[in-house]
Amino acid sequence: MSDARRAGSGSMPRPARGLAVAFLLAIVLAGCAGQSRAPFRFDTDVFTHALFSPDSQILNGLWLTVVISVVSQVIGILLGIFGALGRMSRRAPFRLIANFYIWVFRGTPLLVQLVFFFFGLGAAHIYDWPAINLLGLSIPGEIQAGIFALGLNEGAYMSEIVRAGIISIDAGQMEAAKSLGMTFGLGMRRIVLPQAARIIVPPLGNEFNNMLKTTSLLFVIGVQELYTTFSIKQSQNFQPFEMYLACALWFLLLTTIWSVIQAYIERRLGKGVAGASTGGRSLRDRMFGKRGPVEPSLVSGGR
Amino acid sequence: MAVERPRDLLAAIGGVPVAVTELVVEATDVHKYFGRLHVLKGVSMTVRRQEVVVVIGASGSGKTTFIRCVNHLEKIQQGRISVNGHLIGYRDVKGRLVEDRERNIAKQRQEIGMVFQRFNLFPHKTALENITEAPIHVRGVPVDEAVETGKALLARVGLSAKADVYPTQLSGGQQQRVAIARALAMKPALMLFDEPTSALDPEMIGEVLEVMKELAREGMTMIVVTHEMGFAREVADRVVMMDDGQIIEEGTPEHFFTSPTHERTKSFLSKIL
């Protein structure tokens, strides 16, 4: 008996034995707590309130999420156009800058970019992100930093999307534009980019959908957007199930609205394209439907 | 389908665009390389005002490359090309040719209309918008004036009913006629045609050739790369035969039909006629 005990304690090092004891204790305690805890009751009241009569904090968070997403995406698109043109430029310095930018921002985590720009630059006294006034509206530093990081990060991804759109347009389009006396810039703006836009929109839709959700990362630099708002709320009312579910549904609402807007944009850009949803029959009809009357759709299609 | 014969094309743009010089095109000793490939080996050509020059030759002979050099869609490595008195694509800096600034090149191209083998209409714009795009955004012509000219041009090429239709809804022949109208809208002193009927179904070739013949009759200065010898016989003032990056024979259409001298010309013509 005493031999066995000695052998047992000898074979198990001290810390491990401590851990084992703690583990057993935890299970016992958890069992007791489970018995004493009231069964989970879904708090419908709190949940529906958060969803159907949101307070000013939630509305503010919602507003921030939308505004930050839209502004960051617009910055991303503009940077994406420059990034794409830079990568395709005949001039080596432009290519180098664009490649470097895309390399860095696609190659490092957005989370790290966020904390680096906000905390890192601040700590190094490179930029302290003071609040700035814009049209009587004070914009706190963390929101600026958030938009800055999100926009730059997005621009790197948009560069590749825009580039794919541009190279998908037949080179004859730019030649025709040039032969009519347009400069490269004018031909890009008036002829190539509008056509590339149609190709860019579906992946752009993906990007913006992501952007809406990714704003929740701004939590780490203390921006009270939608996710942060609900996170704070659940820490106050101890109802994480209801709060995070409501939070998820709000995000779902935002991305759903966006998908409707995106479908509208795609329809608008489809003009002049054979088989686009504006003129004639839809893709579904053409693939699975009956053979439609072709002539009338050709004549009435277009606008 | 009978196509109404196009008429008074140039009246729609206010008459024959004025060429400043008697020699609209002056190309001397043009050399062009694609990498190591020497595609133009000293091509010289002049085109007088209101002259129609047809360029023929086998594929790979350099004829398309040459007319693309005339509006500087291709760079040249040696020689010089002037259109309407301007050196095209280059500036003469103390006897050496330096590529011109983009803005200047664009300006020079305004005087040179080009019609492509594959039409290259802008698919996101209607037929009318295709025609008015450059006059409005390059020349700065007021919109209503550009639209008026555009509609007149469309009518003259027999497509007034198609003004608001997108290119994908037009047949190849109709697209090419819109493309000709689009080039004319800039009132060019010179028109370049790069195999304008090669991508067309046989029954559509006629309607495009009719427009081109009418243009020629009305006095437009033209360089046409084509294999349509019927067209050449009817309207060309001169036919130029290219082979392996050089002009090997030049003369009236009659000369080519009756007594071509060069062996390559004879064998080429025997294949296409």
Side-chain angles (χ1 to χ4, degrees), chain A residues 172-173 175 178-181 183-184 190-191 195 271-272 301-303, chain B residues 68 102 106 109 112 120-125 129 133 137 166 168-169 186:
Chain A
Q173 291 292 307
E175 287 187 351
K178 283 183 172 175
S179 78
L180 289 166
T183 56
F184 177 82
R190 299 279 322 166
I191 306 302
Q195 292 180 60
K271 64 180 178 179
R303 295 249 191 209
Chain B
R68 285 168 60 84
E102 196 201 350
R109 287 196 186 116
I112 309 169
N120 296 354
L121 288 182
F122 306 134
H124 60 308
K125 299 195 175 290
E129 286 167 350
E133 176 69 21
H137 294 280
Y166 288 92
T168 46
Q169 297 160 330
M186 288 297 281

PDB file of all heavy atoms in Angstrom, chain A residues 172-173 175 178-181 183-184 190-191 195 271-272 301-303, chain B residues 68 102 106 109 112 120-125 129 133 137 166 168-169 186:
ATOM      1  N   GLY A 172      -8.293  46.483 -78.204  1.00  0.00           N
ATOM      2  CA  GLY A 172      -8.838  47.278 -79.301  1.00  0.00           C
ATOM      3  C   GLY A 172      -9.654  48.472 -78.825  1.00  0.00           C
ATOM      4  O   GLY A 172      -9.789  49.460 -79.548  1.00  0.00           O
ATOM      5  N   GLN A 173     -10.179  48.380 -77.607  1.00  0.00           N
ATOM      6  CA  GLN A 173     -10.965  49.495 -77.078  1.00  0.00           C
ATOM      7  C   GLN A 173     -10.084  50.716 -76.844  1.00  0.00           C
ATOM      8  O   GLN A 173     -10.452  51.833 -77.217  1.00  0.00           O
ATOM      9  CB  GLN A 173     -11.652  49.075 -75.775  1.00  0.00           C
ATOM     10  CG  GLN A 173     -12.748  48.051 -75.978  1.00  0.00           C
ATOM     11  CD  GLN A 173     -13.935  48.633 -76.710  1.00  0.00           C
ATOM     12  OE1 GLN A 173     -14.483  49.657 -76.314  1.00  0.00           O
ATOM     13  NE2 GLN A 173     -14.335  48.008 -77.797  1.00  0.00           N
ATOM     14  N   GLU A 175      -7.212  51.222 -78.273  1.00  0.00           N
ATOM     15  CA  GLU A 175      -6.715  51.654 -79.584  1.00  0.00           C
ATOM     16  C   GLU A 175      -7.749  52.515 -80.300  1.00  0.00           C
ATOM     17  O   GLU A 175      -7.413  53.532 -80.904  1.00  0.00           O
ATOM     18  CB  GLU A 175      -6.366  50.436 -80.442  1.00  0.00           C
ATOM     19  CG  GLU A 175      -5.100  49.757 -79.979  1.00  0.00           C
ATOM     20  CD  GLU A 175      -4.659  48.661 -80.924  1.00  0.00           C
ATOM     21  OE1 GLU A 175      -5.439  48.319 -81.839  1.00  0.00           O
ATOM     22  OE2 GLU A 175      -3.545  48.154 -80.741  1.00  0.00           O
ATOM     23  N   LYS A 178      -7.742  55.873 -78.663  1.00  0.00           N
ATOM     24  CA  LYS A 178      -6.580  56.655 -79.066  1.00  0.00           C
ATOM     25  C   LYS A 178      -6.708  57.138 -80.500  1.00  0.00           C
ATOM     26  O   LYS A 178      -6.340  58.267 -80.824  1.00  0.00           O
ATOM     27  CB  LYS A 178      -5.303  55.812 -78.923  1.00  0.00           C
ATOM     28  CG  LYS A 178      -4.834  55.678 -77.489  1.00  0.00           C
ATOM     29  CD  LYS A 178      -3.538  54.895 -77.445  1.00  0.00           C
ATOM     30  CE  LYS A 178      -2.938  54.925 -76.042  1.00  0.00           C
ATOM     31  NZ  LYS A 178      -1.736  54.059 -75.963  1.00  0.00           N
ATOM     32  N   SER A 179      -7.233  56.266 -81.367  1.00  0.00           N
ATOM     33  CA  SER A 179      -7.333  56.661 -82.769  1.00  0.00           C
ATOM     34  C   SER A 179      -8.316  57.818 -82.944  1.00  0.00           C
ATOM     35  O   SER A 179      -8.297  58.513 -83.956  1.00  0.00           O
ATOM     36  CB  SER A 179      -7.765  55.469 -83.633  1.00  0.00           C
ATOM     37  OG  SER A 179      -9.149  55.239 -83.509  1.00  0.00           O
ATOM     38  N   LEU A 180      -9.177  58.027 -81.951  1.00  0.00           N
ATOM     39  CA  LEU A 180     -10.105  59.158 -82.014  1.00  0.00           C
ATOM     40  C   LEU A 180      -9.528  60.398 -81.345  1.00  0.00           C
ATOM     41  O   LEU A 180     -10.211  61.407 -81.175  1.00  0.00           O
ATOM     42  CB  LEU A 180     -11.425  58.782 -81.342  1.00  0.00           C
ATOM     43  CG  LEU A 180     -12.272  57.774 -82.122  1.00  0.00           C
ATOM     44  CD1 LEU A 180     -13.366  57.197 -81.235  1.00  0.00           C
ATOM     45  CD2 LEU A 180     -12.882  58.428 -83.357  1.00  0.00           C
ATOM     46  N   GLY A 181      -8.259  60.303 -80.942  1.00  0.00           N
ATOM     47  CA  GLY A 181      -7.594  61.472 -80.377  1.00  0.00           C
ATOM     48  C   GLY A 181      -7.651  61.549 -78.866  1.00  0.00           C
ATOM     49  O   GLY A 181      -7.343  62.582 -78.284  1.00  0.00           O
ATOM     50  N   THR A 183      -6.395  60.810 -75.062  1.00  0.00           N
ATOM     51  CA  THR A 183      -5.169  60.443 -74.359  1.00  0.00           C
ATOM     52  C   THR A 183      -5.437  59.144 -73.608  1.00  0.00           C
ATOM     53  O   THR A 183      -6.587  58.718 -73.470  1.00  0.00           O
ATOM     54  CB  THR A 183      -4.789  61.533 -73.345  1.00  0.00           C
ATOM     55  OG1 THR A 183      -5.887  61.728 -72.466  1.00  0.00           O
ATOM     56  CG2 THR A 183      -4.453  62.836 -74.039  1.00  0.00           C
ATOM     57  N   PHE A 184      -4.371  58.535 -73.085  1.00  0.00           N
ATOM     58  CA  PHE A 184      -4.525  57.296 -72.305  1.00  0.00           C
ATOM     59  C   PHE A 184      -5.493  57.518 -71.137  1.00  0.00           C
ATOM     60  O   PHE A 184      -6.400  56.716 -70.903  1.00  0.00           O
ATOM     61  CB  PHE A 184      -3.152  56.850 -71.779  1.00  0.00           C
ATOM     62  CG  PHE A 184      -3.211  55.636 -70.903  1.00  0.00           C
ATOM     63  CD1 PHE A 184      -3.261  54.366 -71.456  1.00  0.00           C
ATOM     64  CD2 PHE A 184      -3.223  55.766 -69.520  1.00  0.00           C
ATOM     65  CE1 PHE A 184      -3.326  53.241 -70.648  1.00  0.00           C
ATOM     66  CE2 PHE A 184      -3.285  54.642 -68.708  1.00  0.00           C
ATOM     67  CZ  PHE A 184      -3.336  53.388 -69.275  1.00  0.00           C
ATOM     68  N   ARG A 190     -13.163  57.185 -69.888  1.00  0.00           N
ATOM     69  CA  ARG A 190     -14.422  57.184 -70.633  1.00  0.00           C
ATOM     70  C   ARG A 190     -14.742  55.821 -71.252  1.00  0.00           C
ATOM     71  O   ARG A 190     -15.907  55.489 -71.447  1.00  0.00           O
ATOM     72  CB  ARG A 190     -14.371  58.229 -71.772  1.00  0.00           C
ATOM     73  CG  ARG A 190     -14.178  59.647 -71.325  1.00  0.00           C
ATOM     74  CD  ARG A 190     -15.435  60.308 -70.850  1.00  0.00           C
ATOM     75  NE  ARG A 190     -16.618  59.955 -71.622  1.00  0.00           N
ATOM     76  CZ  ARG A 190     -17.857  60.205 -71.237  1.00  0.00           C
ATOM     77  NH1 ARG A 190     -18.071  60.824 -70.093  1.00  0.00           N
ATOM     78  NH2 ARG A 190     -18.864  59.861 -71.992  1.00  0.00           N
ATOM     79  N   ILE A 191     -13.718  55.065 -71.599  1.00  0.00           N
ATOM     80  CA  ILE A 191     -13.956  53.843 -72.376  1.00  0.00           C
ATOM     81  C   ILE A 191     -13.634  52.566 -71.596  1.00  0.00           C
ATOM     82  O   ILE A 191     -14.479  51.689 -71.472  1.00  0.00           O
ATOM     83  CB  ILE A 191     -13.125  53.878 -73.685  1.00  0.00           C
ATOM     84  CG1 ILE A 191     -13.425  55.163 -74.473  1.00  0.00           C
ATOM     85  CG2 ILE A 191     -13.403  52.634 -74.530  1.00  0.00           C
ATOM     86  CD1 ILE A 191     -14.879  55.380 -74.849  1.00  0.00           C
ATOM     87  N   GLN A 195     -16.261  49.984 -68.738  1.00  0.00           N
ATOM     88  CA  GLN A 195     -16.513  48.594 -69.122  1.00  0.00           C
ATOM     89  C   GLN A 195     -15.942  47.636 -68.087  1.00  0.00           C
ATOM     90  O   GLN A 195     -16.538  46.592 -67.795  1.00  0.00           O
ATOM     91  CB  GLN A 195     -15.875  48.297 -70.478  1.00  0.00           C
ATOM     92  CG  GLN A 195     -16.541  49.037 -71.624  1.00  0.00           C
ATOM     93  CD  GLN A 195     -15.870  48.705 -72.944  1.00  0.00           C
ATOM     94  OE1 GLN A 195     -15.832  47.558 -73.362  1.00  0.00           O
ATOM     95  NE2 GLN A 195     -15.332  49.715 -73.597  1.00  0.00           N
ATOM     96  N   LYS A 271     -25.980  47.362 -69.326  1.00  0.00           N
ATOM     97  CA  LYS A 271     -26.474  47.855 -70.614  1.00  0.00           C
ATOM     98  C   LYS A 271     -25.442  47.652 -71.724  1.00  0.00           C
ATOM     99  O   LYS A 271     -24.254  47.847 -71.524  1.00  0.00           O
ATOM    100  CB  LYS A 271     -26.873  49.325 -70.519  1.00  0.00           C
ATOM    101  CG  LYS A 271     -25.727  50.234 -70.220  1.00  0.00           C
ATOM    102  CD  LYS A 271     -26.207  51.667 -70.148  1.00  0.00           C
ATOM    103  CE  LYS A 271     -25.039  52.575 -69.805  1.00  0.00           C
ATOM    104  NZ  LYS A 271     -25.398  53.972 -69.734  1.00  0.00           N
ATOM    105  N   GLY A 272     -25.957  47.263 -72.869  1.00  0.00           N
ATOM    106  CA  GLY A 272     -25.065  47.091 -74.013  1.00  0.00           C
ATOM    107  C   GLY A 272     -24.335  45.774 -74.018  1.00  0.00           C
ATOM    108  O   GLY A 272     -23.544  45.504 -74.891  1.00  0.00           O
ATOM    109  N   GLY A 301     -34.443  45.344 -76.401  1.00  0.00           N
ATOM    110  CA  GLY A 301     -33.444  45.354 -75.336  1.00  0.00           C
ATOM    111  C   GLY A 301     -32.684  46.653 -75.282  1.00  0.00           C
ATOM    112  O   GLY A 301     -33.002  47.616 -75.954  1.00  0.00           O
ATOM    113  N   GLY A 302     -31.639  46.676 -74.464  1.00  0.00           N
ATOM    114  CA  GLY A 302     -30.862  47.896 -74.365  1.00  0.00           C
ATOM    115  C   GLY A 302     -31.262  48.662 -73.137  1.00  0.00           C
ATOM    116  O   GLY A 302     -30.992  48.239 -72.027  1.00  0.00           O
ATOM    117  N   ARG A 303     -31.888  49.755 -73.281  1.00  0.00           N
ATOM    118  CA  ARG A 303     -32.258  50.568 -72.132  1.00  0.00           C
ATOM    119  C   ARG A 303     -33.320  49.874 -71.286  1.00  0.00           C
ATOM    120  O   ARG A 303     -34.353  49.534 -71.805  1.00  0.00           O
ATOM    121  CB  ARG A 303     -32.854  51.880 -72.628  1.00  0.00           C
ATOM    122  CG  ARG A 303     -31.795  52.659 -73.370  1.00  0.00           C
ATOM    123  CD  ARG A 303     -31.394  53.873 -72.600  1.00  0.00           C
ATOM    124  NE  ARG A 303     -30.576  54.731 -73.434  1.00  0.00           N
ATOM    125  CZ  ARG A 303     -29.645  55.521 -72.914  1.00  0.00           C
ATOM    126  NH1 ARG A 303     -29.409  55.515 -71.644  1.00  0.00           N
ATOM    127  NH2 ARG A 303     -28.942  56.299 -73.695  1.00  0.00           N
TER     128      ARG A 303
ATOM    129  N   ARG B  68      -0.857  51.172 -89.120  1.00  0.00           N
ATOM    130  CA  ARG B  68      -0.919  51.466 -87.678  1.00  0.00           C
ATOM    131  C   ARG B  68       0.198  52.427 -87.265  1.00  0.00           C
ATOM    132  O   ARG B  68       0.062  53.165 -86.288  1.00  0.00           O
ATOM    133  CB  ARG B  68      -0.831  50.178 -86.866  1.00  0.00           C
ATOM    134  CG  ARG B  68      -2.136  49.367 -86.907  1.00  0.00           C
ATOM    135  CD  ARG B  68      -1.940  47.968 -86.359  1.00  0.00           C
ATOM    136  NE  ARG B  68      -1.484  47.971 -84.979  1.00  0.00           N
ATOM    137  CZ  ARG B  68      -2.307  48.073 -83.935  1.00  0.00           C
ATOM    138  NH1 ARG B  68      -3.611  48.158 -84.131  1.00  0.00           N
ATOM    139  NH2 ARG B  68      -1.836  48.087 -82.715  1.00  0.00           N
ATOM    140  N   GLU B 102       2.466  62.657 -75.099  1.00  0.00           N
ATOM    141  CA  GLU B 102       1.211  61.971 -75.343  1.00  0.00           C
ATOM    142  C   GLU B 102       0.122  62.918 -75.857  1.00  0.00           C
ATOM    143  O   GLU B 102      -0.640  62.597 -76.761  1.00  0.00           O
ATOM    144  CB  GLU B 102       0.761  61.311 -74.028  1.00  0.00           C
ATOM    145  CG  GLU B 102      -0.301  60.259 -74.241  1.00  0.00           C
ATOM    146  CD  GLU B 102      -1.080  59.985 -72.977  1.00  0.00           C
ATOM    147  OE1 GLU B 102      -0.689  60.468 -71.896  1.00  0.00           O
ATOM    148  OE2 GLU B 102      -2.101  59.306 -73.092  1.00  0.00           O
ATOM    149  N   ALA B 106      -1.941  62.589 -79.314  1.00  0.00           N
ATOM    150  CA  ALA B 106      -3.399  62.521 -79.316  1.00  0.00           C
ATOM    151  C   ALA B 106      -3.981  63.587 -80.247  1.00  0.00           C
ATOM    152  O   ALA B 106      -4.922  63.339 -80.989  1.00  0.00           O
ATOM    153  CB  ALA B 106      -3.944  62.688 -77.900  1.00  0.00           C
ATOM    154  N   ARG B 109      -3.618  62.616 -83.822  1.00  0.00           N
ATOM    155  CA  ARG B 109      -4.524  61.527 -84.216  1.00  0.00           C
ATOM    156  C   ARG B 109      -5.931  62.033 -84.516  1.00  0.00           C
ATOM    157  O   ARG B 109      -6.702  61.347 -85.186  1.00  0.00           O
ATOM    158  CB  ARG B 109      -4.589  60.479 -83.103  1.00  0.00           C
ATOM    159  CG  ARG B 109      -3.338  59.620 -82.982  1.00  0.00           C
ATOM    160  CD  ARG B 109      -3.644  58.396 -82.154  1.00  0.00           C
ATOM    161  NE  ARG B 109      -2.458  57.598 -81.887  1.00  0.00           N
ATOM    162  CZ  ARG B 109      -1.947  57.398 -80.672  1.00  0.00           C
ATOM    163  NH1 ARG B 109      -2.527  57.929 -79.611  1.00  0.00           N
ATOM    164  NH2 ARG B 109      -0.881  56.645 -80.511  1.00  0.00           N
ATOM    165  N   ILE B 112      -6.684  61.987 -88.058  1.00  0.00           N
ATOM    166  CA  ILE B 112      -6.566  60.713 -88.761  1.00  0.00           C
ATOM    167  C   ILE B 112      -7.652  59.771 -88.266  1.00  0.00           C
ATOM    168  O   ILE B 112      -7.646  59.352 -87.108  1.00  0.00           O
ATOM    169  CB  ILE B 112      -5.179  60.073 -88.496  1.00  0.00           C
ATOM    170  CG1 ILE B 112      -4.066  61.087 -88.773  1.00  0.00           C
ATOM    171  CG2 ILE B 112      -5.008  58.820 -89.340  1.00  0.00           C
ATOM    172  CD1 ILE B 112      -2.699  60.638 -88.290  1.00  0.00           C
ATOM    173  N   ASN B 120     -14.214  47.488 -83.156  1.00  0.00           N
ATOM    174  CA  ASN B 120     -13.855  48.137 -81.893  1.00  0.00           C
ATOM    175  C   ASN B 120     -14.807  49.245 -81.491  1.00  0.00           C
ATOM    176  O   ASN B 120     -14.388  50.280 -80.981  1.00  0.00           O
ATOM    177  CB  ASN B 120     -12.421  48.689 -81.946  1.00  0.00           C
ATOM    178  CG  ASN B 120     -11.396  47.596 -82.098  1.00  0.00           C
ATOM    179  OD1 ASN B 120     -11.735  46.407 -82.059  1.00  0.00           O
ATOM    180  ND2 ASN B 120     -10.151  47.960 -82.280  1.00  0.00           N
ATOM    181  N   LEU B 121     -16.096  49.026 -81.707  1.00  0.00           N
ATOM    182  CA  LEU B 121     -17.069  49.989 -81.182  1.00  0.00           C
ATOM    183  C   LEU B 121     -17.071  49.880 -79.665  1.00  0.00           C
ATOM    184  O   LEU B 121     -16.684  48.860 -79.105  1.00  0.00           O
ATOM    185  CB  LEU B 121     -18.464  49.683 -81.726  1.00  0.00           C
ATOM    186  CG  LEU B 121     -18.698  49.996 -83.198  1.00  0.00           C
ATOM    187  CD1 LEU B 121     -20.143  49.688 -83.572  1.00  0.00           C
ATOM    188  CD2 LEU B 121     -18.390  51.448 -83.520  1.00  0.00           C
ATOM    189  N   PHE B 122     -17.519  50.955 -79.010  1.00  0.00           N
ATOM    190  CA  PHE B 122     -17.586  50.936 -77.555  1.00  0.00           C
ATOM    191  C   PHE B 122     -18.892  50.261 -77.142  1.00  0.00           C
ATOM    192  O   PHE B 122     -19.970  50.818 -77.343  1.00  0.00           O
ATOM    193  CB  PHE B 122     -17.512  52.359 -77.000  1.00  0.00           C
ATOM    194  CG  PHE B 122     -16.306  53.129 -77.503  1.00  0.00           C
ATOM    195  CD1 PHE B 122     -16.438  54.430 -77.953  1.00  0.00           C
ATOM    196  CD2 PHE B 122     -15.050  52.541 -77.534  1.00  0.00           C
ATOM    197  CE1 PHE B 122     -15.334  55.139 -78.417  1.00  0.00           C
ATOM    198  CE2 PHE B 122     -13.939  53.237 -77.994  1.00  0.00           C
ATOM    199  CZ  PHE B 122     -14.089  54.535 -78.439  1.00  0.00           C
ATOM    200  N   PRO B 123     -18.818  49.072 -76.562  1.00  0.00           N
ATOM    201  CA  PRO B 123     -20.039  48.289 -76.335  1.00  0.00           C
ATOM    202  C   PRO B 123     -20.976  48.887 -75.282  1.00  0.00           C
ATOM    203  O   PRO B 123     -22.153  48.558 -75.264  1.00  0.00           O
ATOM    204  CB  PRO B 123     -19.514  46.923 -75.876  1.00  0.00           C
ATOM    205  CG  PRO B 123     -18.149  47.188 -75.361  1.00  0.00           C
ATOM    206  CD  PRO B 123     -17.613  48.343 -76.155  1.00  0.00           C
ATOM    207  N   HIS B 124     -20.443  49.770 -74.430  1.00  0.00           N
ATOM    208  CA  HIS B 124     -21.295  50.339 -73.382  1.00  0.00           C
ATOM    209  C   HIS B 124     -21.977  51.624 -73.835  1.00  0.00           C
ATOM    210  O   HIS B 124     -22.628  52.293 -73.052  1.00  0.00           O
ATOM    211  CB  HIS B 124     -20.483  50.585 -72.113  1.00  0.00           C
ATOM    212  CG  HIS B 124     -19.323  51.532 -72.307  1.00  0.00           C
ATOM    213  ND1 HIS B 124     -18.376  51.370 -73.297  1.00  0.00           N
ATOM    214  CD2 HIS B 124     -18.957  52.648 -71.652  1.00  0.00           C
ATOM    215  CE1 HIS B 124     -17.500  52.345 -73.226  1.00  0.00           C
ATOM    216  NE2 HIS B 124     -17.837  53.133 -72.236  1.00  0.00           N
ATOM    217  N   LYS B 125     -21.795  51.944 -75.119  1.00  0.00           N
ATOM    218  CA  LYS B 125     -22.429  53.156 -75.635  1.00  0.00           C
ATOM    219  C   LYS B 125     -23.284  52.814 -76.851  1.00  0.00           C
ATOM    220  O   LYS B 125     -22.959  51.896 -77.594  1.00  0.00           O
ATOM    221  CB  LYS B 125     -21.354  54.183 -76.013  1.00  0.00           C
ATOM    222  CG  LYS B 125     -20.517  54.573 -74.816  1.00  0.00           C
ATOM    223  CD  LYS B 125     -19.710  55.811 -75.062  1.00  0.00           C
ATOM    224  CE  LYS B 125     -18.992  56.229 -73.791  1.00  0.00           C
ATOM    225  NZ  LYS B 125     -19.893  56.733 -72.752  1.00  0.00           N
ATOM    226  N   GLU B 129     -24.017  57.399 -79.409  1.00  0.00           N
ATOM    227  CA  GLU B 129     -23.018  57.791 -78.408  1.00  0.00           C
ATOM    228  C   GLU B 129     -21.607  57.433 -78.855  1.00  0.00           C
ATOM    229  O   GLU B 129     -20.648  58.154 -78.549  1.00  0.00           O
ATOM    230  CB  GLU B 129     -23.317  57.118 -77.062  1.00  0.00           C
ATOM    231  CG  GLU B 129     -24.503  57.710 -76.337  1.00  0.00           C
ATOM    232  CD  GLU B 129     -24.973  56.850 -75.167  1.00  0.00           C
ATOM    233  OE1 GLU B 129     -24.501  55.712 -75.022  1.00  0.00           O
ATOM    234  OE2 GLU B 129     -25.829  57.323 -74.404  1.00  0.00           O
ATOM    235  N   GLU B 133     -19.046  60.562 -78.899  1.00  0.00           N
ATOM    236  CA  GLU B 133     -18.103  60.509 -77.777  1.00  0.00           C
ATOM    237  C   GLU B 133     -16.862  61.401 -77.994  1.00  0.00           C
ATOM    238  O   GLU B 133     -16.567  62.269 -77.173  1.00  0.00           O
ATOM    239  CB  GLU B 133     -17.669  59.053 -77.552  1.00  0.00           C
ATOM    240  CG  GLU B 133     -16.616  58.849 -76.481  1.00  0.00           C
ATOM    241  CD  GLU B 133     -17.124  59.115 -75.065  1.00  0.00           C
ATOM    242  OE1 GLU B 133     -18.356  59.064 -74.861  1.00  0.00           O
ATOM    243  OE2 GLU B 133     -16.295  59.397 -74.192  1.00  0.00           O
ATOM    244  N   HIS B 137     -15.965  64.898 -76.134  1.00  0.00           N
ATOM    245  CA  HIS B 137     -14.977  64.832 -75.059  1.00  0.00           C
ATOM    246  C   HIS B 137     -13.552  65.106 -75.513  1.00  0.00           C
ATOM    247  O   HIS B 137     -12.677  65.328 -74.679  1.00  0.00           O
ATOM    248  CB  HIS B 137     -15.055  63.481 -74.355  1.00  0.00           C
ATOM    249  CG  HIS B 137     -16.356  63.301 -73.631  1.00  0.00           C
ATOM    250  ND1 HIS B 137     -16.599  63.857 -72.402  1.00  0.00           N
ATOM    251  CD2 HIS B 137     -17.502  62.678 -73.998  1.00  0.00           C
ATOM    252  CE1 HIS B 137     -17.834  63.556 -72.022  1.00  0.00           C
ATOM    253  NE2 HIS B 137     -18.405  62.844 -72.971  1.00  0.00           N
ATOM    254  N   TYR B 166     -27.452  49.423 -78.950  1.00  0.00           N
ATOM    255  CA  TYR B 166     -26.077  49.114 -78.558  1.00  0.00           C
ATOM    256  C   TYR B 166     -25.411  48.222 -79.611  1.00  0.00           C
ATOM    257  O   TYR B 166     -26.092  47.447 -80.293  1.00  0.00           O
ATOM    258  CB  TYR B 166     -26.052  48.435 -77.194  1.00  0.00           C
ATOM    259  CG  TYR B 166     -26.362  49.393 -76.078  1.00  0.00           C
ATOM    260  CD1 TYR B 166     -27.664  49.565 -75.614  1.00  0.00           C
ATOM    261  CD2 TYR B 166     -25.358  50.169 -75.515  1.00  0.00           C
ATOM    262  CE1 TYR B 166     -27.949  50.470 -74.604  1.00  0.00           C
ATOM    263  CE2 TYR B 166     -25.629  51.075 -74.519  1.00  0.00           C
ATOM    264  CZ  TYR B 166     -26.930  51.223 -74.062  1.00  0.00           C
ATOM    265  OH  TYR B 166     -27.200  52.128 -73.075  1.00  0.00           O
ATOM    266  N   THR B 168     -23.861  45.446 -79.668  1.00  0.00           N
ATOM    267  CA  THR B 168     -24.102  44.003 -79.683  1.00  0.00           C
ATOM    268  C   THR B 168     -25.398  43.651 -80.399  1.00  0.00           C
ATOM    269  O   THR B 168     -25.607  42.503 -80.757  1.00  0.00           O
ATOM    270  CB  THR B 168     -24.181  43.433 -78.257  1.00  0.00           C
ATOM    271  OG1 THR B 168     -25.008  44.281 -77.475  1.00  0.00           O
ATOM    272  CG2 THR B 168     -22.805  43.314 -77.643  1.00  0.00           C
ATOM    273  N   GLN B 169     -26.270  44.654 -80.562  1.00  0.00           N
ATOM    274  CA  GLN B 169     -27.547  44.375 -81.213  1.00  0.00           C
ATOM    275  C   GLN B 169     -27.493  44.687 -82.706  1.00  0.00           C
ATOM    276  O   GLN B 169     -28.514  44.650 -83.390  1.00  0.00           O
ATOM    277  CB  GLN B 169     -28.657  45.197 -80.543  1.00  0.00           C
ATOM    278  CG  GLN B 169     -28.816  44.789 -79.088  1.00  0.00           C
ATOM    279  CD  GLN B 169     -29.506  45.843 -78.253  1.00  0.00           C
ATOM    280  OE1 GLN B 169     -29.408  47.037 -78.527  1.00  0.00           O
ATOM    281  NE2 GLN B 169     -30.207  45.412 -77.231  1.00  0.00           N
ATOM    282  N   MET B 186     -14.978  63.046 -86.429  1.00  0.00           N
ATOM    283  CA  MET B 186     -13.857  63.894 -86.007  1.00  0.00           C
ATOM    284  C   MET B 186     -13.331  64.753 -87.163  1.00  0.00           C
ATOM    285  O   MET B 186     -12.333  65.453 -87.017  1.00  0.00           O
ATOM    286  CB  MET B 186     -12.730  63.033 -85.442  1.00  0.00           C
ATOM    287  CG  MET B 186     -13.042  62.425 -84.086  1.00  0.00           C
ATOM    288  SD  MET B 186     -13.300  63.661 -82.800  1.00  0.00           S
ATOM    289  CE  MET B 186     -11.599  64.083 -82.417  1.00  0.00           C
TER     290      MET B 186
END
